[in-house]
Amino acid sequence: MSDAVKDLRHAAWPGPRRHPAWLRLLAQRSALRPAGADAASGSRTLMALVIAIALVSCGNVNPAIVGLPDAVVELGQKLAGAAFWMLAIGVSFLPGVQQRPSPVAGLLLPALLVAWAVSSVAWSNQPASSVEKAAVLAFTTFGTWRLAASLHCDALFRLLFWSLLLLVLASVAAAVFVPSIGVLQTWQHAGQWSGLFVSKQTLGMVSASLVFLSLLRLCYAVTPVAILGLIAGIAAVIGAGSRGGAAMAVAAVVCVLAARRSARLAGAISYLPAVTLGLASAGIAILVGMDLPYFPFFGAEIDLTDRTVIWHYALSGWTERPLLGFGIQGFWTDPLRYELFERTHGWVLDNFHSGYVALLVEQGLLGYLLFAGFVLMLCRRLRLAILGAARLDPGARFGIEATFGYVILSFTINLTETFFFRATDFAQVTVALAAITLFAAPAPRA
């Protein structure tokens, strides 16, 4: 056991009542502690597989890179991701690789949330599409649960950093040297970067995450690789026209630094995910209540680059099935709804452009309320974690602060982009693993 963890047990916490055991799991610095040569090999293999999963699961790759049809590339990416996940799950069962018992206690609410999404196949508007999405969600959630027994959040975020750095560097190179691949030519986003990906939104999300992790690493030590990650991430978010994503990443780091300085600020900032949920709910209420495809503001019509047009259309459908919704992947896969939007507006993006709207429309009001309960519990766990981190040495608290900032960043980005329940996206996997680690414990005592 490392000296940091020993200090953690004997000095950092006065007693178990104030500092629950689950916080130690977040704070442990070493990702994997193998007991022998075989375990060490298994651990290295697992880390390599996590990087591979991240590389193929951060977004749809541009088919022009390999010169194959879109459907073939998408299928190949899915099969590669599934294969890497199966290997990672298998490796996690090898002797010495699993570092602690698979978390069970405290996971009832997150499990119910996932179970509800999977069960929505039963009332889905498009069962065939929903079955595939639900199966993938269940599979990757199980895989994430297994990773939570073998990887600490510290290790996950370090592996994620290297994966994002590789993707962003390759995307910048594609945009600069091969613009026919890396720069969009569509009428909506002409001249904006998409890098290795099909959409600029994916590059924006990936780059914003890299900016966040690079800045957080720089808060611990100024290293060439962290500076490279920051420069590449900023260049990519600007090129993708996602400057808001970079601002959110900077804001997330500011939240981490503010939490270091004040326990009161830390407690308040911990509830930012609940605040974003409240803002999203208020926006939904306005669009539904006023039946408008924009937000009225002193005579102005705020449509957030046509996002409110998409939200209004989706919410108009939701009012037909308010309690249960359309089921996972059950709305845009309906050909009639898809074609009606395209005929009415002359374009269609096949995307809700809001994780909160997607949750309400697909999971219904009941699923949305279940998610709200999950968010409130998550905020409480975040508060306990960040307050406990204040008493640790800097090297031992990276995993906690990365979890704290990344969860806030994810919930903020989901206001205008859809990443909740995207089972094949590694951003969702990262949030899920953080949530499992935070929830997997007996209820904390006040």
Side-chain angles (χ1 to χ4, degrees), residues 243-266:
R243 291 179 291 275
M248 292 178 192
V250 173
V253 175
V254 171
C255 287
V256 171
L257 297 179
R260 285 184 184 178
R261 291 184 172 274
S262 167
R264 288 186 178 180
L265 275 177

Side-chain angles (χ1 to χ4, degrees), residues 76-415:
Q77 201 171 343
K78 288 180 179 179
L79 292 176
F84 290 140
W85 267 115
M86 286 189 285
L87 288 172
I89 291 171
V91 170
S92 73
F93 284 101
L94 293 178
V97 175
Q98 182 170 331
Q99 299 302 301
R100 55 183 180 270
S102 296
V104 176
L107 294 181
L108 177 60
L109 187 56
L112 284 175
L113 185 60
V114 174
W116 179 270
V118 173
S119 300
S120 68
V121 172
W123 59 84
S124 172
N125 196 44
Q126 298 291 313
S129 299
S130 295
V131 166
E132 178 186 353
K133 181 70 176 288
V136 173
L137 176 63
F139 175 65
T140 56
T141 300
F142 175 74
T144 304
W145 179 70
R146 286 300 308 163
L147 288 182
S150 304
L151 283 175
H152 297 292
C153 285
D154 175 278
L156 177 71
F157 282 109
R158 295 183 191 281
L159 295 174
L160 179 61
F161 170 81
W162 286 106
S163 304
L164 296 178
L165 181 61
L166 291 173
L167 288 171
V168 171
L169 287 176
S171 292
V172 171
V176 173
F177 299 110
V178 194
S180 60
I181 291 177
V183 180
L184 293 172
Q185 305 300 327
T186 60
W187 66 271
Q188 293 169 311
H189 306 121
Q192 294 182 326
W193 292 6
S194 62
L196 300 180
F197 306 104
V198 171
S199 72
K200 78 180 194 70
Q201 287 85 3
T202 302
L203 178 60
M205 174 62 179
V206 168
S207 303
S209 299
L210 179 62
V211 169
F212 165 71
L213 291 176
S214 299
L215 280 173
L216 189 60
R217 287 170 69 101
L218 288 171
C219 291
Y220 286 87
V222 178
T223 61
V225 69
I227 294 174
L228 176 62
L230 180 61
I231 294 173
I234 291 175
V237 292
I238 292 175
S242 299
R243 291 179 291 275
M248 292 178 192
V250 173
V253 175
V254 171
C255 287
V256 171
L257 297 179
R260 285 184 184 178
R261 291 184 172 274
S262 167
R264 288 186 178 180
L265 275 177
I269 293 170
S270 300
Y271 283 86
L272 279 179
V275 173
T276 60
L277 175 63
L279 289 174
S281 301
I284 289 170
I286 291 172
L287 294 178
V288 173
M290 302 186 72
D291 195 20
L292 294 173
Y294 56 83
F295 294 124
F297 186 75
F298 295 105
E301 298 179 0
I302 301 174
D303 63 7
L304 302 178
T305 59
D306 285 333
R307 281 176 170 82
T308 57
V309 175
I310 300 172
W311 301 345
H312 179 260
Y313 180 78
L315 292 169
S316 297
W318 166 73
T319 57
E320 301 172 11
R321 308 174 67 168
L323 289 181
L324 298 180
F326 287 82
I328 188 169
Q329 199 79 354
F331 185 82
W332 288 112
T333 52
D334 183 342
L336 295 178
R337 294 186 181 277
Y338 184 95
E339 293 169 6
L340 177 60
F341 187 95
E342 187 172 26
R343 287 199 309 269
T344 304
H345 301 283
W347 56 272
V348 63
L349 294 179
D350 187 17
N351 192 313
F352 289 102
H353 267 293
S354 169
Y356 301 95
V357 173
L359 271 168
L360 182 61
V361 174
E362 293 190 343
Q363 307 304 321
L365 184 59
L366 296 179
Y368 196 78
L369 291 175
L370 184 61
F371 178 74
F374 164 80
V375 171
L376 290 175
M377 289 294 294
L378 178 65
C379 290
R380 186 178 181 222
R381 293 286 186 169
L382 281 175
R383 175 180 172 274
L384 291 169
I386 200 66
L387 290 177
R391 304 195 53 182
L392 305 181
D393 64 271
R397 66 184 180 220
F398 175 80
I400 299 175
E401 292 187 337
T403 299
F404 182 78
Y406 194 85
V407 169
I408 291 172
L409 176 63
S410 174
F411 274 77
T412 306
I413 287 178
N414 268 281
L415 285 169

